[in-house]
Structures are given as structure tokens and as C-alpha cells.
């Protein structure tokens, strides 16, 4: 049986651009890329009701994320964050 095409490692970059229009506020634009291979249970268990068979057609997964945050320090103890 030939195994699935899994990657040993992958680059998962993270980046952020932060703009501070004042000393009490900040705007952040963030990006990230996640990666994972299927685990052994996902690869080798597929219950069709009668027997178990391998599911070797699974491929590695990636996910891109984007986030925008706005932060404001109102007082020494009160800060607001919207994401």
C-alpha cells in the first residue's frame, strides 16, 4: 500500500502591520497561515459499517487568516479593543 503524500514540515508565516496614530491608540492588520497534516486516525480509519479501510486520499490542510484590531486606551485602567 502506498501512503499519502504528507509533508514533513511547512512554512507557516505570520505578519503584522501596526500603526499608532497616537500614544493611546493602535491599529493592527495581521495575517497568518496555518498548516497541518491529517493525523493517523483520519488517515487509517474509515468505518463503512462492515469493515475498516484506509482513507489515503486525504491531503495536508492550510488555512489563511486575516485580522484587523483597533485598540484605544481610555484611562490608566480602561482599554477598549475591537477585532
Amino acid at each position: 500500500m502506498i501512503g499519502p503524500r504528507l509533508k514533513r514540515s511547512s512554512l507557516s508565516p505570520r505578519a503584522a502591520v501596526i500603526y499608532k496614530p497616537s500614544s493611546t491608540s493602535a491599529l493592527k492588520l495581521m495575517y497568518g497561515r496555518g498548516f497541518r497534516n491529517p493525523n493517523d486516525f483520519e488517515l487509517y480509519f474509515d468505518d463503512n459499517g462492515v469493515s475498516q479501510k484506509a482513507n489515503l486520499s486525504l491531503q495536508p490542510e492550510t488555512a489563511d487568516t486575516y485580522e484587523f484590531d483597533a485598540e484605544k486606551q481610555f484611562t490608566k485602567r480602561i482599554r477598549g479593543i475591537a477585532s
Side-chain angles (χ1 to χ4, degrees):
M1 175 173 14
I2 298 172
R5 294 173 31 170
L6 301 179
K7 296 180 181 178
R8 290 184 180 203
S9 65
S10 178
L11 185 63
S12 295
R14 308 276 192 268
V17 175
I18 302 170
Y19 172 63
K20 290 189 60 94
S22 70
S23 62
T24 60
S25 61
L27 302 172
K28 300 176 183 179
L29 181 60
M30 296 168 277
Y31 166 80
R33 169 168 267 198
F35 166 84
R36 81 173 193 90
N37 278 314
N39 62 36
D40 287 340
F41 182 78
E42 294 166 332
L43 281 173
Y44 301 112
F45 179 77
D46 184 16
D47 188 358
N48 62 9
V50 178
S51 64
Q52 296 175 355
K53 62 180 182 174
N55 187 3
L56 300 178
S57 64
L58 292 177
Q59 298 295 316
E61 299 174 354
T62 60
D64 293 321
T65 60
Y66 302 90
E67 185 176 355
F68 176 76
D69 289 351
E71 299 181 9
K72 176 73 175 167
Q73 186 80 36
F74 295 105
T75 69
K76 197 172 191 180
R77 294 184 176 198
I78 298 174
R79 178 172 32 171
I81 301 173
S83 181

